[in-house]
Amino acid sequence: MSPEPVPIIRLARHAAGPDATKTAANIMLGLAVKEFRDAAGLTQTALAKTVPVSNSTISRLENAETTPERRTVEAVMEHLDLDEPGREKLTMLLSRALEPEWFQSRFADCTAEYLRRLLGLESMAVGLTTYDVRLVSGLLQTAEYARCIVRTGLHISEWDSPEMEMRVALRQERQDRVFQQAEPPRCVFLMDESVLLRRVGPDEVMLGQMRHLLEIADDPNVTIRFVLLDRMIAGNEASMAGGMAHLQFGRGGLPDLVYVESYGKADYYTKPARSAEERAKPWPTKDNEFERHLQLLLRIQGEACASPAASRRMLEEAVERYS
């Protein structure tokens, strides 16, 4: 198992490149529009009046809340009087943002709405830290383990339906998009110790899953650690009932993101922009949800986890138990 990763600074993946996702391009487009608007000294309201569109349309564009409309972006470029490089930047981002996301053509019917933003951004991250409370992380599940989980959520008449296999295929495609890149992200997977004991299928399924975790833990880009049952952790809905993920996108990329999941829903918190005065201070001047959840994730990692070496021994014991 790889040792605890050393913090490194990596450049962001190209949000308008061939491997970029629609979701990432959409966010980068919104950030670019805001940057150009601020440089022109315009408020959202002022830009909306000159385009003309509603103020909410500009807000949704800048916050990437919906798929952008070509005519709106072209009107914004015209009224901001952008130079050629600026127009090319927005045009490239718009072109990618208008394409379908990777899961939409094949997996749209079995992709939960609250997961779609996460699925569209995972492969763009250069660093990924996740915490899963009840099950093995979806990015680490074997097909057999995933199939057992999916089956429990379907009616018995659906067990042999195409939907079940489609859901399993979605998880496998998701894993490939993250791990099979030329430069995969540095990943830290924190999982509750109970996932080693919680049976989701027969012995052969559990054994295959534990062996898979041992194998992937040898990847130098992956660290697996277990949150010990006898350690106290700060409790909130995410740490006790759901899970969290921290996505880092590298220098010059998207703002870092924290994903917080609970039953049937999820919240996304983006690292807030800070002024030069705020950056000069030793700590943030006001609380925000991104910082709060990130600190919780760091506390779990620092105070409640077994070391990577001890976590490997726990996996080896689990392999013996299911053999």
Side-chain angles (χ1 to χ4, degrees):
M1 183 174 294
S2 61
E4 191 68 17
V6 177
I8 56 175
I9 298 176
R10 289 175 58 179
L11 295 177
R13 304 185 196 277
H14 187 21
D19 296 326
T21 65
K22 166 191 172 71
T23 305
N26 200 3
I27 295 173
M28 289 299 289
L29 175 65
L31 292 173
V33 169
K34 182 180 185 304
E35 180 182 345
F36 288 132
R37 175 179 60 76
D38 288 341
L42 296 174
T43 64
Q44 285 186 350
T45 301
L47 179 60
K49 287 182 178 179
T50 60
V51 169
V53 292
S54 67
N55 189 55
S56 61
T57 297
I58 299 297
S59 177
R60 287 195 300 271
L61 173 62
E62 293 186 353
N63 293 312
E65 294 176 358
T66 61
T67 298
E69 293 188 5
R70 182 178 295 277
R71 64 176 181 272
T72 300
V73 176
E74 290 176 346
V76 166
M77 290 192 291
E78 186 68 29
H79 286 280
L80 290 179
D81 194 24
L82 300 183
D83 58 15
E84 192 61 29
R87 295 180 70 90
E88 288 182 358
K89 179 179 180 178
L90 291 192
T91 300
M92 285 191 301
L93 290 170
L94 174 63
S95 177
R96 182 64 188 95
L98 291 176
E99 296 175 6
E101 193 55 272
W102 64 266
F103 53 79
Q104 287 182 310
S105 59
R106 183 181 176 194
F107 302 112
D109 292 340
C110 60
T111 304
E113 189 67 33
Y114 68 87
L115 269 176
R116 296 189 174 201
R117 193 175 184 90
L118 177 66
L119 297 184
L121 292 175
E122 279 179 331
S123 63
M124 296 297 295
V126 299
L128 177 65
T129 300
T130 71
Y131 171 49
D132 290 271
V133 180
R134 299 185 178 184
L135 299 167
V136 170
S137 169
L139 285 172
L140 302 179
Q141 292 175 7
T142 64
E144 293 76 16
Y145 186 94
R147 192 172 286 110
C148 289
I149 294 171
V150 173
R151 183 181 290 120
T152 61
L154 299 175
H155 188 273
I156 190 172
S157 63
E158 300 175 300
W159 283 7
D160 295 322
S161 68
E163 180 181 354
M164 191 179 80
E165 290 306 316
M166 194 65 70
R167 289 177 183 271
V168 174
L170 169 61
R171 299 192 189 201
Q172 297 300 299
E173 174 72 14
R174 176 187 176 191
Q175 293 173 10
D176 289 344
R177 291 185 64 85
V178 172
F179 294 121
Q180 300 304 316
Q181 301 181 80
E183 294 186 30
R186 288 294 300 269
C187 298
V188 178
F189 294 99
L190 313 177
M191 290 175 280
D192 196 82
E193 182 183 358
S194 63
V195 305
L196 299 171
L197 305 171
R198 180 166 294 110
R199 183 181 290 276
V200 302
D203 281 352
E204 56 267 26
V205 170
M206 299 302 294
L207 178 60
Q209 179 63 69
M210 298 303 122
R211 284 176 171 168
H212 177 65
L213 292 178
L214 275 175
E215 179 182 348
I216 200 169
D218 290 331
D219 187 321
N221 290 308
V222 173
T223 297
I224 294 176
R225 299 180 65 185
F226 293 104
V227 180
L228 298 171
L229 292 173
D230 62 355
R231 300 287 176 87
M232 292 184 62
I233 61 174
N236 72 356
E237 185 178 7
S239 65
M240 302 300 289
M244 290 183 287
H246 176 213
L247 283 70
Q248 297 170 283
F249 298 100
R251 180 180 295 173
L254 305 174
D256 288 0
L257 179 77
V258 170
Y259 166 86
V260 182
E261 183 177 314
S262 55
Y263 183 74
K265 66 176 185 177
D267 294 302
Y268 294 83
Y269 302 109
T270 301
K271 184 177 182 178
R274 296 170 62 192
S275 66
E277 291 182 355
E278 289 179 317
R279 289 195 298 270
K281 295 180 180 179
W283 56 80
T285 55
K286 53 176 129 179
D287 293 334
N288 61 74
E289 290 299 306
F290 173 87
E291 294 288 350
R292 185 169 73 86
H293 286 93
L294 179 57
Q295 288 299 319
L296 175 59
L297 192 58
L298 293 173
R299 284 189 61 189
I300 291 172
Q301 188 172 355
E303 301 173 11
C305 285
S307 68
S311 296
R312 184 178 187 89
R313 290 193 294 271
M314 294 166 70
L315 275 173
E316 291 170 345
E317 292 170 1
V319 167
E320 292 182 8
R321 187 163 55 249
Y322 293 115
S323 296

